[in-house]
Amino acid sequence: MDDAFIAEAQHILSADNSIVSEFWQKKYKDEAGRNWDKFYHRNSTNFFKDRNWTDREFEELRPGHAFSEQNPVLLEIGCGVGNFVWPILKRNPDIFVYACDFSTRAVGFVKANENYTEDRCCAFVCDITKDRLTDTIPPHSVDIVSAIFVLSALPPEKQADAVSNILKILKPGGRILFRDYGIYDLAQLRFKSGHKLENNLYVRQDGTLSYYFSTERLRELFAQHGGLLELENDYVVKRLVNVKREIDSDRIFTQAKFQAPIDSTAIESAMTSTTI
């Protein structure tokens, strides 16, 4: 992103001074899980495509990588209907995948899929901001956590709680693989007045939330609050051109990797001494 693009994006965002009322802010935040359940009721398994691109972006997901040896364990948070799970299980015959979502309906679709088998996958309902992952997953037993387009569905005041929850099941030396919406993304710039809850947090027409991350925000959550080592943390910019719809703009995502210290007590120390 160059300076001219950032200046133009900031100008567009500064023009929207309307904020959703406190009543509706609370309602949207409190009913986040219910609204995603309604989303999957309307769209079933047909909305999102399988994420066959993840191993191109994250080498840890490729067969033969050090993290893919000796029966690795992966947790996908916000699994939806399994669009990440099925390609991973197919490519990595030795991996075991935990998959959770706060939509009961979405988890039901995962379990009903013909590829679901309990000896390779455990899908369960979980609101990662308040339900303990350790009720289902042994503490510090997961090699990789994928957080792909999921934390953006949470209001910022609950994101640190989600990170703290994740760290309780992550192995010493384990990694979190992150990709989500970035600030100044086309979708953020196209929100009309009346959808903004607070800076970088918006509500869609269907009541689901969308938060747009900066790399600084990721550093706050995972490094400063979580005590993790920052391996990668950057923006991914993809040009979107649709001549028919007269669209020529940038999709902007944040992509990052964070690694837990080898000494798990360092994580606990960071989490108890840092608030954001």
Side-chain angles (χ1 to χ4, degrees):
M1 295 185 291
D2 59 29
D3 291 343
F5 172 82
I6 293 173
E8 175 63 19
Q10 290 176 340
H11 174 72
I12 292 172
L13 295 179
S14 66
D16 183 8
N17 295 316
S18 63
I19 301 294
V20 173
S21 70
E22 290 187 8
F23 171 83
W24 282 104
Q25 285 193 43
K26 184 177 187 305
K27 184 175 178 63
Y28 287 132
K29 292 177 181 181
D30 290 347
E31 297 182 358
R34 180 185 300 178
N35 288 329
W36 276 106
D37 224 36
K38 292 178 180 178
F39 172 89
Y40 289 113
H41 176 70
R42 289 190 304 272
N43 296 287
S44 182
T45 61
N46 302 316
F47 191 84
F48 298 111
K49 296 180 180 179
D50 281 354
R51 290 172 175 167
N52 295 303
W53 51 267
T54 53
D55 63 331
R56 296 196 300 270
E57 299 292 338
F58 300 108
E59 61 182 12
E60 292 85 351
L61 301 177
R62 300 172 194 163
H65 190 275
F67 274 86
S68 296
E69 296 177 351
Q70 299 180 349
N71 302 317
V73 177
L74 179 145
L75 165 65
E76 188 195 14
I77 56 174
C79 65
V81 298
N83 299 104
F84 171 87
V85 173
W86 313 130
I88 289 296
L89 289 176
K90 182 178 180 180
R91 284 196 301 264
N92 299 270
D94 298 322
I95 200 169
F96 184 88
V97 175
Y98 288 101
C100 70
D101 200 285
F102 61 5
S103 167
T104 302
R105 193 177 299 274
V107 172
F109 282 128
V110 173
K111 290 185 173 183
N113 190 287
E114 61 181 7
N115 297 306
Y116 183 79
T117 172
E118 292 184 352
D119 62 345
R120 298 205 59 205
C121 184
C122 174
F124 60 103
V125 177
C126 179
D127 180 343
I128 58 171
T129 67
K130 61 182 181 181
D131 301 331
R132 295 182 303 179
L133 287 167
T134 51
D135 288 344
T136 301
I137 306 172
H140 304 300
S141 64
V142 172
D143 298 284
I144 300 173
V145 174
S146 65
I148 299 177
F149 297 106
V150 57
L151 291 191
S152 56
L154 306 177
E157 66 269 19
K158 293 185 178 181
Q159 291 167 359
D161 292 333
V163 172
S164 297
N165 198 3
I166 293 167
L167 297 182
K168 290 182 172 64
I169 53 83
L170 189 64
K171 280 183 180 179
R175 293 184 181 181
I176 296 176
L177 310 179
F178 181 97
R179 183 163 171 141
D180 218 319
Y181 302 110
I183 54 170
Y184 312 139
D185 178 47
L186 172 64
Q188 181 182 19
L189 301 181
R190 294 180 71 181
F191 271 110
K192 298 187 182 302
S193 180
H195 290 264
K196 184 177 180 180
L197 277 68
E198 56 186 89
N199 285 341
N200 299 323
L201 179 66
Y202 299 79
V203 60
R204 302 184 182 95
Q205 290 285 0
D206 61 4
T208 59
L209 302 181
S210 185
Y211 182 83
Y212 295 84
F213 285 93
S214 65
T215 54
E216 292 79 9
R217 175 60 178 169
L218 294 184
R219 188 169 296 119
E220 287 179 355
L221 283 171
F222 292 102
Q224 297 174 12
H225 167 71
L228 302 182
L229 175 65
E230 181 182 303
L231 303 179
E232 296 179 11
N233 185 11
D234 207 348
Y235 297 103
V236 175
V237 180
K238 293 188 177 294
R239 196 71 178 172
L240 176 64
V241 178
N242 187 318
V243 176
K244 185 176 181 180
R245 298 177 60 188
E246 298 182 349
I247 296 175
D248 183 359
S249 191
D250 290 329
R251 295 307 313 267
I252 299 173
F253 310 105
T254 43
Q255 185 163 304
K257 298 180 187 178
F258 296 92
Q259 181 166 311
I262 299 300
D263 179 6
S264 62
T265 60
I267 299 178
E268 300 296 333
S269 176
M271 285 169 30
T272 56
S273 62
T274 307
T275 57
I276 59 174

